[in-house]
Amino acid sequence: QVLLVESGGGLIQAGDSLRISCAASGRTFRSGSMGWFRQAPGKEREVVASINWSGSATYYVDSVKGRFTISRDNVENTLYLQMNSLKPEDTAVYYCASSRSILLLTTKSGYDYWGQGTQVTVSS
């Protein structure tokens, strides 16, 4: 069993920065790929970024490249997403997810535990 708890969401203005976190407990945190996903109202959940077990490889969806940075602390069992130059279209509920895979996963497939989500709202 893995428990994932996101935090750090909120209401911010366009152009500002925000860092959200995901605290993990249960299965060994450093054993698999982790990811951040988001879901806006009326849209499907999409991958935002992912990171492999060691942090040596990352993936970003095109719309956030150069603005978002995913990182992980395998000692503190925490996943982070630093979001800069935020835009109104980044508004969504952000979820973290964990997997057992040692490979870098870039889709929802393979992720077996999900957090409850944290709301990020970017005003124009």
Side-chain angles (χ1 to χ4, degrees):
Q1 186 73 20
V2 175
L3 179 63
L4 303 172
V5 180
E6 300 96 335
S7 62
L11 172 63
I12 56 173
Q13 291 188 331
D16 285 350
S17 298
L18 189 69
R19 188 178 79 162
I20 56 178
S21 304
C22 173
S25 61
R27 181 174 68 209
T28 304
F29 177 77
R30 59 183 177 274
S31 66
S33 183
M34 300 283 293
W36 284 103
F37 295 77
R38 65 186 179 187
Q39 187 167 17
K43 296 187 177 181
E44 291 190 1
R45 190 171 299 187
E46 64 170 353
V47 62
V48 176
S50 60
I51 187 167
N52 72 337
W53 69 275
S54 66
S56 63
T58 56
Y59 166 83
Y60 298 93
V61 69
D62 285 348
S63 59
V64 307
K65 283 181 180 177
R67 300 189 298 123
F68 290 12
T69 302
I70 188 172
S71 61
R72 65 190 295 166
D73 184 332
N74 286 345
V75 174
E76 297 295 328
N77 290 350
T78 304
L79 179 72
Y80 301 100
L81 185 68
Q82 176 67 43
M83 303 182 289
N84 299 330
S85 302
L86 280 158
K87 304 175 181 180
E89 51 263 44
D90 294 318
T91 295
V93 177
Y94 284 72
Y95 300 89
C96 70
S98 72
S99 78
R100 295 180 179 87
S101 175
I102 63 171
L103 302 176
L104 180 64
L105 301 180
T106 61
T107 68
K108 289 184 288 186
S109 178
Y111 288 98
D112 50 2
Y113 287 97
W114 295 79
Q116 84 290 347
T118 186
Q119 176 71 47
V120 173
T121 303
V122 184
S123 64
S124 57

